[in-house]
Amino acid sequence: MARVVLSIDAELAWGFHDHPEPPVRELRRIAAGRRGWGILLELLDEFDLPATWAVVGRLFLARTDDQIYTAYAADGGVPIDPATLSGSADQWYGNDLVEQIRDARADHEIGCHTFTHLDFTADTTTAEVARAELQACVDIARERGIEMESFAYPRNRVAHREVLAETGFTCYRGRAPPRWYDRSCLRALGKFAAYAGGFSAPPTVYPTVDEYGLVNVPASLHLFGFESYARTLARPFRRDPVVKQARLGLERAVEEDGVFHVWFHPNDLVGPEEVGRLRAVLAAIDAMRERGDVTVETMGEVAKRTLA
């Protein structure tokens, strides 16, 4: 039977800490972070769909207890103090939001998105820095009774897998397989044609075990990876071409008996149109589950099944 995985990069403002002057669209997403988090939990509860929440470790904290973690290395060994960054405290701390995940009706998994949304492919991210970031997440989660198994790389930049394995993780979200237009010099035009025309489905993926014993659960579709001008231009073709892509991906996964892995962020839900897209996709998944065509699993569950 086909399986559906929903993975969520839960980061609030940490996803933009290395952008000294975020553009307007990013500022909108930062402002929408907490509201989007709540809406997402409500929708997942409404459809009783479990998801893997890859949480930035600093969001386990409140400002009052953050100082005990200043010894953890980040950005080449220099700890990041949110007090020096723009935005209000509730955009940098989220212990209350993590508790909302744990209290939800749906049986969610809490995984890791590094401690400070660190780019693991940066020149300054040595194995020691990566290890400190991961260990910080493991420690702070374990203090709260959470054993982390799943990992999502910031910006999907995969590196230091050996450290990931050493720190006790069992799986990670790998990059999506390339689609036909990714190999073209006219990639943007090809992507627009695929989404607007609705003739090319996202890939079905198959988890594999890498040389470090980690399960790679590749992505299939970024739910908010077709935005701005492209989305506006595509409206005359389809009401929401991404919803069509999701439905095509679900149908393909059923035909090919594989995994359809959708990922996104809470702060993608900046307005009614984005919320409507998510609701439509979740409703499509729920309908196929009710028909017995798919099951919905977390990344950790997929990893256990793969390693069994």
Side-chain angles (χ1 to χ4, degrees), residues 66-87:
D66 190 30
Q67 294 306 307
I68 63 174
Y69 286 91
T70 56
Y72 283 102
D75 281 355
V78 180
I80 300 171
D81 181 3
T84 66
L85 303 172
S86 61

Side-chain angles (χ1 to χ4, degrees), residues 196 231 234-244 273 277:
R231 184 173 68 175
R235 282 197 182 103
F237 297 89
R238 296 188 180 277
R239 187 171 184 179
D240 189 330
V242 182
V243 174
K244 177 62 175 179
E273 190 169 356
R277 172 186 296 178

Side-chain angles (χ1 to χ4, degrees), residues 5-8 25 40 43-44 173 191 195 202 219-227 231 240-247 250 260-265 268-269 273-282 285:
V5 174
L6 301 169
S7 63
I8 299 162
R25 183 171 181 270
L40 177 51
L43 287 173
L44 292 171
R173 187 182 67 217
K191 182 176 181 179
Y195 276 66
S220 298
L221 176 68
H222 178 199
L223 201 59
F224 294 91
F226 188 73
E227 304 304 299
R231 184 173 68 175
D240 189 330
V242 182
V243 174
K244 177 62 175 179
Q245 284 289 297
R247 289 174 176 151
L250 287 165
F260 184 56
H261 185 173
V262 178
W263 71 277
F264 52 97
H265 310 76
D268 288 322
L269 303 178
E273 190 169 356
E274 289 77 15
V275 174
R277 172 186 296 178
L278 179 60
R279 174 182 285 279
V281 171
L282 297 183
I285 294 170

Side-chain angles (χ1 to χ4, degrees), residues 1-7 52 172-177 201-208 215-221 246 248-263 285 293-303 305-306:
M1 179 181 291
R3 290 172 284 165
V4 175
V5 174
L6 301 169
S7 63
T52 295
Y172 62 94
R173 187 182 67 217
R175 293 183 64 87
T204 299
V205 298
Y206 300 91
T208 57
V215 178
N216 175 10
V217 188
S220 298
L221 176 68
L248 288 172
L250 287 165
E251 293 166 0
R252 180 175 181 179
V254 171
E255 293 172 0
E256 300 178 350
D257 193 25
V259 175
F260 184 56
H261 185 173
V262 178
W263 71 277
I285 294 170
D293 293 334
V294 303
T295 60
V296 182
E297 297 180 346
T298 63
M299 286 177 59
E301 289 170 335
V302 170
R305 188 187 297 271
T306 304

Side-chain angles (χ1 to χ4, degrees), residues 26 43-44 65 87 90 130 149 160 203 217 232 268 305:
E26 290 185 357
L43 287 173
L44 292 171
D65 59 6
D90 66 2
E149 299 180 44
H160 296 298
V217 188
T232 301
D268 288 322
R305 188 187 297 271

